[in-house]
Amino acid sequence: MTERGGRHRSSPNGHAPDGPTVPTAADAVSLSPGSAAADPAPQPRRKSADTTSKLRLVWVYPDLLSTYGDRGNLLVLGRRARLRGIDVEPIEVNSDQRVPSHGDIYLLGGGEDLPQILAARRLSTDGGLAAAASRGSVVFAVCAGYQVVGHQFGGVEGEPVSGLGLLDITSGRGERRGVGELVADADPALGVPRLTGFENHQGVTTIGPGARPLARLSQGVGNGDGTEGAYSGRVLGTYMHGPALARNPGLADLLLSWATGPLPPIDPAEEEWASRLRAERLASIAQ
Ligand code: GLN
């Protein structure tokens, strides 16, 4: 996609639109052990002023990976883009279809153990998601999807199953399921307000040197070591359902800004329901 100068000057995430070149997801894959984590503020690959094409949101394998309302992430991204005048093309790709490599943002949801293993195998054989990530497309992956974009995760009996290696994380099976509300403070470099989500997973995740934790937990299990989620370049994973982007519009705008460049603010009247949901969920754990 041709990149043109963005017309919007402010960024809700405080990201400079024209910073130095930074590693992409492809770089994250090739980062050797011990190398520095990818920069938290990647260059947008599609600028807001590009009105010649739609923002392509690819919902990957809804037939295998979509638990606890994760499809809401697709709806939230679409709505928040349209409220900025950005035209959107949602693309749903089932596991018997090819994953297009020309999308702008790819979304993966959570899933049960067996569908998760199947999804990992098919995505690996297909190659479309890896190709898109290596081109700098944004990838947002939740729970099972988060584990799948890592190097490896624990199968039904805890056996190692190969992931896609788009994010420098390795997951296994923990002793107990992490179930319930999660609250975490995002890496300050991301400029995203406190995160709220619902988690339900057995997996525990270790972050390698090529990625950074998305957040530090104040409640919940997350990765299992006091951190929650991980990111590198434009690939970001989390254990948060809820859906995550409905509860955390700041995170949705971060992903959009990675794809489009700086975004104008949304009319506060349009934010009322999201604000109420956040307030309700954050209050629920304070009691
Ligand atoms: N099967 C994975 C686990 O239990 C992911 C679960 C999910 O996506 N909710 O860790």
Side-chain angles (χ1 to χ4, degrees):
M1 181 174 297
T2 313
E3 295 207 343
R4 300 186 193 161
R7 72 181 159 221
H8 304 303
R9 293 208 173 80
S10 64
S11 164
N13 305 302
H15 289 157
D18 295 307
T21 302
V22 295
T24 65
D27 299 311
V29 175
S30 62
L31 281 172
S32 57
S35 59
D39 193 288
Q43 290 279 289
R45 58 179 296 273
R46 176 196 191 280
K47 297 282 177 71
S48 327
D50 182 356
T51 53
T52 57
S53 59
K54 296 180 177 181
L55 183 73
R56 287 172 296 228
L57 305 177
V58 185
W59 179 229
V60 178
Y61 293 179
D63 55 334
L64 297 178
L65 301 175
S66 182
T67 51
Y68 310 114
D70 288 336
R71 186 169 186 277
N73 294 326
L74 177 72
L75 304 180
V76 169
L77 283 182
R79 179 173 185 272
R80 298 187 74 80
R82 288 190 192 98
L83 284 169
R84 269 80 173 228
I86 299 170
D87 229 353
V88 168
E89 181 184 356
I91 303 168
E92 302 205 11
V93 183
N94 279 327
S95 59
D96 61 350
Q97 297 173 298
R98 297 297 307 268
V99 179
S101 58
H102 64 277
D104 295 301
I105 303 180
Y106 290 74
L107 300 166
L108 289 83
E112 306 293 330
D113 294 345
L114 283 172
Q116 176 178 346
I117 293 168
L118 191 54
R121 286 200 191 125
R122 292 202 174 165
L123 284 170
S124 171
T125 306
D126 179 88
L129 181 62
S134 71
R135 290 175 52 239
S137 298
V138 176
V139 179
F140 177 64
V142 174
C143 204
Y146 172 43
Q147 296 175 13
V148 164
V149 298
H151 298 298
Q152 184 178 291
F153 60 88
V156 178
E157 304 294 335
E159 73 282 7
V161 179
S162 292
L164 303 178
L166 308 181
L167 191 57
D168 188 10
I169 59 165
T170 303
S171 302
R173 276 177 90 80
E175 310 245 301
R176 288 186 297 136
R177 288 192 82 77
V179 184
E181 288 292 314
L182 176 163
V183 178
D185 291 304
D187 182 338
L190 296 175
V192 171
R194 176 166 259 211
L195 299 171
T196 161
F198 166 76
E199 64 181 333
N200 185 352
H201 57 100
Q202 187 103 28
V204 290
T205 296
T206 305
I207 301 174
R212 301 181 191 212
L214 168 64
R216 303 243 153 237
L217 284 164
S218 59
Q219 166 151 334
V221 175
N223 293 323
D225 63 355
T227 68
E228 150 51 23
Y231 72 103
S232 174
R234 296 191 189 97
V235 180
L236 190 150
T238 177
Y239 275 112
M240 293 187 296
H241 303 277
L245 300 184
R247 289 192 186 201
N248 303 285
L251 191 55
D253 284 355
L254 176 70
L255 301 173
L256 285 173
S257 72
W258 281 356
T260 69
L263 297 164
I266 286 176
D267 178 349
E270 301 282 4
E271 300 278 28
E272 189 190 337
W273 285 102
S275 303
R276 279 203 215 175
L277 175 63
R278 276 183 70 71
E280 178 203 284
R281 298 326 304 159
L282 287 167
S284 77
I285 57 102
Q287 290 155 12

